[in-house]
């Protein structure tokens, strides 16, 4: 038993994480994969790592120091359950099983409960940053018991990305908290990508700039408050020329976006928690709309704005327009992140997790796909007020929204006028206006609900629950509270 940590599952993520672990002082890494070939290949190609290969679960357990600690990196779902079952058979109470795959947090809650009954610790761990992150330093979001964190903390700290001197890992909370936070991270990623795509589309159609010229715009934006990994890679993608056709690569890529389902999880969970994550939802739906080729085909001839506003549309002052888009993007991004943090807050309340939202924003500053300068502003907001109920009401964001306000409205209005879809821009603005409204037409909805279903309503001027006798004399009576 010479290894202090083990990895099960040696596909791209697992083998990179194992190499990352092995490269850190003091770690000896045991490795196991269901099919032997991957293990042999990894050990042969990386003799420098000093891996301890195992070819059965018994051998794997025997190679680990106690408390045994193993990170599972296999396909999320049944494969994870199968590996957990096998590990539970060969591990002992006090040992630690870590699932680093993209598990749905409710699966993690279930698995943690079942594994805990054996006395073994179970940690659901979100890992972001793809292959490169796994190898060089990911952002890590572990959930699980305090006991397991004692052993796991130093190991994870040594392999995590570092942002401004701080490791991008924190003990998020118990059982499913880590995978929950990873899920919302991915949802925010969807929103951020959709907003960037809408910005690109409006710039291209409004100014006639080429993708390479727009790449310069994004590169410029990346030197300001929008500085982020996603803006940076957007410039790279837009600059790429297709070798076959010599056209911009973006013009030969099929315009149907794929998804692996974590955006949908974020939205489904938000719906059950009653949290309006409209930016993430619109981004997820925009991907589905794009991929419905047949529906798009039969809809292509639908009428658009009068006078061909769309095809004849060019802006008068391209530079001023681009600046307005930048401001609209920044404001919408603030909304999307605010909604995502709202979902984490609601999830923590529902599942009884103590999640430090400032710490979450800090561990997203490096290693992960949504890493950005901007996350420092979020961390500052939560440092100042830990229980901030709405992130976008923090003074820094209020100022930014104030600054962006006119441009944001103009961009959304323009997109509607010329018939260019900007669902994430416009839903973010609608959310913002909804939040800040004095009165909402929800009052009318309550009236309608009371009319057809006697669902009752509350009044602004007195306590109690009321119902109007709509099919009688239309007088009001005091009623049982039934919502
Ligand atoms: P895959 O998701 O492609 O899974 C392949 C691995 O699962 C192989 O090691 C395979 O073993 C193993 N496996 C399967 Br499939 N069924 C098994 C079973 N019943 N018992 C034991 N092992 C089984 O690998 P990946 O792309 O490296 O991703 C690993 C995890 O990391 C996933 O949960 C993924 O969602 C997550 N993740 C991926 C990324 C990314 O950018 N790719 C980022 C963050 C998180 P075999 O070799 O014997 O078939």
């Amino acid at each position: 038993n010479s290894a202090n940590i083990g990895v099960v599952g040696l596909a791209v993520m697992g083998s990179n994480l194992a190499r990352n672990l092995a490269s850190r002082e003091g770690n000896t890494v045991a490795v196991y994969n269901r099919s032997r070939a991957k293990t042999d290949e990894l050990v042969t190609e990386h003799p420098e790592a000093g891996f301890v290969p195992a070819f059965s679960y018994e051998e794997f357990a025997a190679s680990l120091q106690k408390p045994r600690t193993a990170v599972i990196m296999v396909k999320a779902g049944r494969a994870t359950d199968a590996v957990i079952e096998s590990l539970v058979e060969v591990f002992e109470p006090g040992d630690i099983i870590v699932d680093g795959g993209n598990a749905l947090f409710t699966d993690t809650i279930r698995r943690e409960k079942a594994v805990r009954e054996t006395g073994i610790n179970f940690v659901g761990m979100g890992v972001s940053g793809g292959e490169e992150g796994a190898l060089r330093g990911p952002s890590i979001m572990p959930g699980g018991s305090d006991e397991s964190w004692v052993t796991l903390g130093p190991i994870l700290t040594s392999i995590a990305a570092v942002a401004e001197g701080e490791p991008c890992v924190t003990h998020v909370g118990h059982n499913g908290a880590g995978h929950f936070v990873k899920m919302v991270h991915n949802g925010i990623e969807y929103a951020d990508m959709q907003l960037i795509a809408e910005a690109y589309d409006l710039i291209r159609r409004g100014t006639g700039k080429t993708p390479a010229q727009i790449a310069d715009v994004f590169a410029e934006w990346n030197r300001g408050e929008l500085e982020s990994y996603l803006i940076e890679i957007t410039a790279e993608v837009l600059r790429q020329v297709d070798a076959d056709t010599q056209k911009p690569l973006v013009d030969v890529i099929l315009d149907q976006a794929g998804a692996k389902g974590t955006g949908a999880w974020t939205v489904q969970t938000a719906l059950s928690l009653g949290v309006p994550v409209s930016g993430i939802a619109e981004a997820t739906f925009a991907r589905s709309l794009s991929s419905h080729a047949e529906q798009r085909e039969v809809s292509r001839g639908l009428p658009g704005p009068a006078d061909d506003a769309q095809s004849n549309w060019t802006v008068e002052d391209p530079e001023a327009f681009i600046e307005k888009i930048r401001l609209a993007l920044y404001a919408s991004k603030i909304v999307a992140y605010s909604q995502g943090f709202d979902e984490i807050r609601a999830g923590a309340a529902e599942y009884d997790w103590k999640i430090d939202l400032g710490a979450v924003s800090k561990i997203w500053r490096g290693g992960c796909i949504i890493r950005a300068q901007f996350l420092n502003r979020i961390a500052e907001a939560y440092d100042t007020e830990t229980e901030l109920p709405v992130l976008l009401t923090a003074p820094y964001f209020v100022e930014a929204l104030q600054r962006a306000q006119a441009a944001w409205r103009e961009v959304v209005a323009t997109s509607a006028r010329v018939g260019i879809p900007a669902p994430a821009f416009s839903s973010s603005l609608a959310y913002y206006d909804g939040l800040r409204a004095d009165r909402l037409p929800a009052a009318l909805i309550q009236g309608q609900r009371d009319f057809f279903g006697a669902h009752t309503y509350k009044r602004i001027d007195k306590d109690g629950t009321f119902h109007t006798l709509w099919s009688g004399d239309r007088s009001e009576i005091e009623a049982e509270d039934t919502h």
Side-chain angles (χ1 to χ4, degrees), residues 9-14 33-35 38 73-76 79 82-83 101-102 127 130:
L10 304 175
V12 52
M13 288 296 287
N33 192 69
R34 177 181 60 174
S35 51
K38 282 199 182 73
M73 271 296 183
V74 301
K75 199 170 158 59
V83 174
N102 259 340
V127 178

Side-chain angles (χ1 to χ4, degrees), residues 35-81:
S35 51
R36 183 181 177 121
K38 282 199 182 73
T39 314
D40 286 334
E41 193 184 313
L42 178 68
V43 173
T44 316
E45 282 181 6
H46 296 284
E48 79 287 352
F51 288 126
V52 181
F55 299 99
S56 68
Y57 283 107
E58 289 75 14
E59 217 184 314
F60 180 71
S63 68
L64 287 165
Q65 296 161 14
K66 293 179 190 176
R68 297 183 186 86
T69 308
V71 180
I72 304 174
M73 271 296 183
V74 301
K75 199 170 158 59
R78 300 171 72 93
T80 309
D81 283 314

Side-chain angles (χ1 to χ4, degrees), residues 163-176:
E164 306 189 16
E166 295 177 78
C168 295
V169 59
T170 189
H171 183 203
V172 177
H174 289 167
N175 57 52

